Amino acid sequence: MSDLSAFAITQKWPAQHPDRLQLYSLPTPNGVKVSIMLEETRLPYEPHLVSFDSDDQFSEAFLSLAPNNKIPAILDPNGPDGKAQALFESGAILLYLADKTGQLLPKSGPERYETIQWLMWQMGGVGPMFGQLGFFHKFAGASYEDKRPRDRFATEAQRLLGVLDKRLEGREWIMGNEYSIADIAVFPWVRGLVTFYDAVELLGFERFGNVKRVLESFLQRPAVIRGLNIPART
């Protein structure tokens, strides 16, 4: 049995199955990227809920593994060279899991780097811009009388949806016929934009037909259905 006692995070979230990969997360757009990936690859794992309601993300235990105080984070007892591997940042975790399992990312060649390109596009654009729009459209920023911040992020969200819609023209998934970590990274954010952030009318989402089509396909995948609710909220 693996010994994870050297990692402080296990004091707050004890591992019942220390031989499995440990996931510390919450079902947000960034969080479910990893739970979906784990469900798609069927890699054994144990989820732990990081509750924002109790500020778990700021606890010393969580910061010992994820110093940027953002979910998700993982602790893999079976890392490279047989040593435990801790990681934060959802994009880095997707790359790690893809390489570990040999799934959802080409091992070499142009397609590998093109897939990573779209992963970086999500990390650098879609996530930050969609998140800011959510703040100014639905959350605390919605009460601001000055709507210029909201409109600025709405315009950028529309631009990004346009980029994605054009990419998906004639394609089943972002990389063509092959489902990949690029889709796992992007579509939880698209789902959040049109459901949780209630931005369908604001963005005119219906005109992005290819995005809508692929989002529907994404949400029908059994692993996605399971992963969207992991870890379960209490």
Side-chain angles (χ1 to χ4, degrees):
M1 180 177 293
S2 302
D3 182 8
L4 299 179
S5 61
F7 294 89
I9 196 166
T10 63
Q11 302 305 309
K12 184 174 178 64
W13 290 280
Q16 301 300 313
H17 303 281
D19 56 321
R20 301 179 187 177
L21 184 145
Q22 305 293 304
L23 170 65
Y24 309 92
S25 191
L26 185 71
T28 67
N30 276 335
V32 299
K33 293 180 200 173
V34 177
S35 54
I36 289 170
M37 180 68 174
L38 289 166
E39 289 294 320
E40 293 280 8
T41 60
R42 297 194 175 276
L43 190 67
Y45 72 101
E46 180 178 351
H48 303 277
L49 181 70
V50 179
S51 174
F52 289 177
D53 291 340
S54 54
D55 289 336
D56 281 349
Q57 72 274 30
F58 298 113
S59 66
E60 290 187 11
F62 186 73
L63 292 173
S64 70
L65 193 70
N68 197 37
N69 68 263
K70 304 292 184 183
I71 57 98
I74 65 168
L75 175 57
D76 182 6
N78 305 301
D81 301 321
K83 299 178 181 179
Q85 176 70 59
L87 279 178
F88 66 95
E89 283 295 326
S90 58
I93 296 171
L94 288 180
L95 288 170
Y96 174 77
L97 294 176
D99 285 341
K100 179 181 177 70
T101 62
Q103 299 180 52
L104 301 172
L105 176 67
K107 294 181 180 179
S108 61
E111 292 82 6
R112 175 180 176 86
Y113 298 104
E114 191 174 350
T115 306
I116 294 173
Q117 164 189 269
W118 285 100
L119 172 63
M120 296 300 110
W121 178 77
Q122 183 278 306
M123 298 292 294
V126 167
M129 295 300 104
F130 287 15
Q132 291 290 347
L133 176 61
F135 174 82
F136 285 106
H137 179 59
K138 181 174 181 178
F139 299 110
S143 64
Y144 297 176
E145 292 185 10
D146 186 350
K147 297 304 179 185
R148 286 176 294 181
R150 184 205 66 181
D151 293 345
R152 181 264 185 274
F153 290 113
T155 298
E156 181 62 5
Q158 289 173 323
R159 187 191 70 81
L160 290 165
L161 288 171
V163 171
L164 181 59
D165 200 70
K166 185 175 181 179
R167 171 66 182 183
L168 293 171
E169 187 172 350
R171 291 184 171 89
E172 184 177 359
W173 301 103
I174 290 175
M175 289 303 298
N177 293 328
E178 297 296 325
Y179 177 75
S180 72
I181 60 171
D183 304 292
I184 294 174
V186 169
F187 283 101
W189 276 102
V190 177
R191 172 182 177 265
L193 187 70
V194 303
T195 56
F196 191 56
Y197 295 157
D198 299 326
V200 170
E201 292 186 9
L202 176 66
L203 300 176
F205 181 75
E206 295 297 325
R207 62 193 172 95
F208 301 105
N210 293 317
V211 176
K212 183 180 178 182
R213 166 181 56 84
V214 179
L215 174 63
E216 291 172 353
S217 295
F218 178 75
L219 294 176
Q220 291 173 5
R221 295 181 67 88
V224 171
I225 294 171
R226 294 192 300 270
L228 286 173
N229 295 299
I230 298 173
R233 295 176 184 267
T234 56

